[in-house]
Amino acid sequence: MTSFQDFGLADPISRALKEENYHTPTPIQAQTIPIALTGRDVVGIAQTGTGKTAAFALPILHRILESRIRPQPKSCRVLVLSPTRELSGQILDSFTAYGRHIRLTSALAIGGVPMGRQVRSVMQGVEVMVATPGRLLDLVQSNGLKLNQVEFLVLDEADRMLDMGFINDIRKVVAKLPIRRQTLFFSATMPKDIAELAESMLRDPARVAVTPVASTADRITQRIIQVDFAAKPAVLAQLLKQEPVDRALVFTRTKHGADKVVKVLAKAGIEANAIHGNKSQNHRERVLAAFRSGEIRTLVATDIAARGIDVDGISHVVNFDLPNVPETYVHRIGRTARAGAEGVAISLIAGAEEMGYLRDIERLIRIALPREDRRTPGHRDAAPAPAQHRGGRPGTRVHAGRSHEPAPSAKGPRRHRRGGGNNAQQPNRHEAPRPAQQAGKSQAGHSEGIQGVAFLHRESRPNNQPNRNHRPQR
Ligand code: AMP
């Protein structure tokens, strides 16, 4: 499938796609749309950034046009469940954009805002309802919405929904839906519990998968900088000044950490804003809009707040703290290099605990990441924590369900030896070339890295070399 024309989508939808400048379907769209158009259930492994929203929205819009009926009061024909408010808003925006020529009726049901308006918005009935599970149940329980007219159910980012504790809410919602419906189920990863959930909700689904989560990093240059714990803020500020940043998304593990980073950056003359669960919905929307428009170039976020952010043009993701769940690292860096662009992901790591998290991540992505050591010599003796003492999930769990990939070696990527400590990136002992040796050479391409996984190695600038692309922060 090389063009959207090949799908035979209804004319008003095709027109909207042209206006959106969508010409070529992405792989998940090419796989999903023809199947979903036949009415079959689909279970898809795809993460945000692959174009999966259109993969489910376009066939659904086509099908509701095929049998256009007026929705009954307080009901919807299409129900999309997503884990976060931001993602829900973005999904609704996509439906509205693709459905701009069909006078689509739609509504959003998300927490954090008063329910009254949401109740009113579905009073007459809508074609598409996008919701987070908790608020949806509130609406149903207060008799604001009936689910017995749902013909299409989409469950988006199922793995994240489970992580966020929505499993019971999802089961309650599904129990209220008609058995005869089409269900499209998407998840970035497919561990056992997600596969079981899918099994319980889908009938004879077609399975589609694109770019498994463990190998999404092709267009992302990943770097690790070992720092002293106390030096993290200073190194972050320095990076944001030196790197050619268009938009940077900085991740912290805690809300408090996010606020602290914003303050430290302000002192260094870098304007940044934070979004996290303690901020009001209004604040989050304002900040996101400013980030999207380029008014703010540095956004500091916690994982949950950042989950639904769909902003093209994020040139840099910086992990101020490394996450203890390795998949979270993959989700984080997937915020950059969207829509075919390239991106840079830099992680600051300090101490044995984060070194352990790094090993979990390297085992998951099967890449030994190039490291740069900026620790002061006196601090270099902290031994990495042994794998079994860490909070991260064990490697076997990480790979559950990804049968299309070879299992990683029990050892995972080998531990890097510290020693020289002269600011050079540490060599790793795999076949992958050593970044330190490539500095200065113009080289960017794939070679076979660890266990046959493509290893994208790009040249990295030596520390003492000025960055000609430097663009000062606004
Ligand atoms: P998603 O994975 O659905 O969040 O989509 C990621 C981004 O890619 C969004 O900004 C979409 O508007 C964009 N996008 C999706 N499909 C296409 C396509 N076929 N051509 C160009 N852009 C697309």
Side-chain angles (χ1 to χ4, degrees):
M1 224 37 94
T2 53
S3 140
F4 279 103
Q5 307 299 324
D6 302 336
F7 297 133
L9 292 166
D11 184 57
I13 303 174
S14 297
R15 260 192 295 145
L17 290 179
K18 273 196 201 114
E19 287 156 11
E20 287 286 304
N21 276 325
Y22 285 18
H23 302 293
T24 313
T26 66
I28 192 71
Q29 291 162 0
Q31 289 184 52
T32 307
I33 294 173
I35 300 169
L37 282 172
T38 68
R40 192 168 168 195
D41 284 0
V42 175
V43 55
I45 301 182
Q47 56 179 164
T48 299
T50 56
K52 74 177 152 55
T53 314
F56 61 73
L58 298 176
I60 287 178
L61 287 174
H62 178 89
R63 296 199 67 215
I64 62 172
L65 278 185
E66 276 183 332
S67 61
R68 197 116 196 229
I69 48 168
R70 198 191 178 90
Q72 291 188 13
K74 294 188 183 179
S75 66
C76 60
R77 295 188 68 186
V78 181
L79 175 63
V80 183
L81 290 178
S82 103
T84 65
R85 303 162 191 177
E86 278 86 11
L87 185 62
S88 301
Q90 284 157 14
I91 292 171
L92 190 77
D93 287 347
S94 297
F95 269 99
T96 313
Y98 310 143
R100 66 168 66 115
H101 297 301
I102 60 173
R103 281 201 250 141
L104 188 74
T105 52
S106 59
L108 190 64
I110 53 173
V113 288
M115 204 160 82
R117 218 167 77 192
Q118 294 170 4
V119 171
R120 286 193 295 280
S121 69
V122 290
M123 203 87 91
Q124 308 294 322
V126 290
E127 287 167 308
V128 176
M129 161 71 88
V130 184
T132 50
R135 176 53 63 94
L136 184 84
L137 276 178
D138 290 346
L139 261 184
V140 171
Q141 275 153 10
S142 63
N143 291 324
L145 178 72
K146 293 176 299 190
L147 296 178
N148 60 354
Q149 301 295 318
V150 172
E151 298 162 57
F152 304 90
L153 169 69
V154 178
L155 199 77
D156 199 14
E157 306 213 347
D159 52 351
R160 184 55 47 156
M161 297 239 219
L162 257 65
D163 284 353
M164 291 171 72
F166 285 140
I167 181 83
N168 285 333
D169 287 352
I170 292 169
R171 289 197 194 283
K172 280 187 203 157
V173 170
V174 171
K176 293 179 192 298
L177 299 173
I179 293 179
R180 245 179 88 85
R181 60 167 196 266
Q182 182 179 21
T183 306
L184 308 177
F185 183 107
F186 289 92
S187 187
T189 55
M190 196 57 68
K192 199 160 154 259
D193 42 1
I194 308 286
E196 281 168 5
L197 179 68
E199 176 80 10
S200 71
M201 295 174 55
L202 300 159
R203 271 183 313 156
D204 182 31
R207 289 166 205 284
V208 298
V210 294
T211 325
V213 70
S215 57
T216 50
D218 275 16
R219 297 189 313 273
I220 305 172
T221 303
Q222 300 174 66
R223 289 166 53 194
I224 301 295
I225 304 181
Q226 288 177 269
V227 293
D228 300 322
F229 190 78
K232 276 193 178 188
V235 174
L236 173 67
Q238 195 185 18
L239 281 171
L240 292 175
K241 285 180 176 168
Q242 286 179 347
E243 288 283 318
V245 172
D246 286 326
R247 283 190 191 84
L249 183 55
V250 179
F251 282 96
T252 60
R253 222 173 306 149
T254 64
K255 302 169 194 174
H256 179 63
D259 289 333
K260 243 167 71 180
V261 166
V262 168
K263 280 192 195 134
V264 171
L265 290 179
K267 275 195 191 139
I270 297 169
E271 194 195 337
N273 281 70
I275 57 164
H276 53 63
N278 286 357
K279 305 279 183 185
S280 71
Q281 182 65 9
N282 255 349
H283 172 91
R284 284 147 69 109
E285 276 166 17
R286 247 195 348 263
V287 168
L288 264 182
F291 189 53
R292 207 170 266 130
S293 71
E295 202 182 309
I296 302 172
R297 278 208 289 167
T298 305
L299 187 64
V300 186
T302 54
D303 290 301
I304 290 188
R307 180 61 183 166
I309 296 178
D310 173 20
V311 177
D312 291 338
I314 295 178
S315 57
H316 288 68
V317 167
V318 183
N319 292 312
F320 185 80
D321 304 311
L322 217 51
N324 59 358
V325 175
E327 286 95 338
T328 302
Y329 173 85
V330 181
H331 287 305
R332 285 183 180 185
I333 70 169
R335 307 285 114 191
T336 180
R338 318 252 309 191
E342 302 219 328
V344 176
I346 303 174
S347 304
L348 306 184
I349 66 168
E353 197 180 24
E354 285 193 308
M355 185 62 87
Y357 299 155
L358 174 63
R359 279 208 308 277
D360 284 343
I361 290 164
E362 290 182 325
R363 197 170 295 145
L364 173 68
I365 63 177
R366 293 187 202 95
I367 295 175
L369 297 171
R371 297 178 195 184
E372 185 184 323
D373 197 340
R374 294 199 193 174
R375 292 169 300 169
T376 48
H379 288 81
R380 290 181 188 193
D381 51 358
Q388 62 270 36
H389 290 167
R390 290 189 307 275
R393 294 194 237 161
T396 47
R397 167 99 193 269
V398 163
H399 290 274
R402 283 195 210 109
S403 53
H404 53 290
E405 289 179 357
S409 95
K411 290 182 204 144
R414 291 187 84 106
R415 195 180 304 163
H416 297 248
R417 286 244 162 83
R418 273 185 268 112
N422 53 357
N423 271 1
Q425 283 156 332
Q426 298 298 309
N428 70 60
R429 298 178 55 197
H430 296 279
E431 293 69 28
R434 298 188 295 186
Q437 294 174 335
Q438 292 161 15
K441 285 186 209 150
S442 172
Q443 186 173 8
H446 290 85
S447 74
E448 286 300 289
I450 300 156
Q451 296 175 3
V453 172
F455 187 109
L456 184 72
H457 46 95
R458 298 194 179 93
E459 97 183 57
S460 58
R461 215 173 337 103
N463 289 336
N464 56 356
Q465 195 174 307
N467 178 355
R468 291 199 197 86
N469 296 326
H470 171 51
R471 269 174 261 167
Q473 287 278 323
R474 262 189 268 155

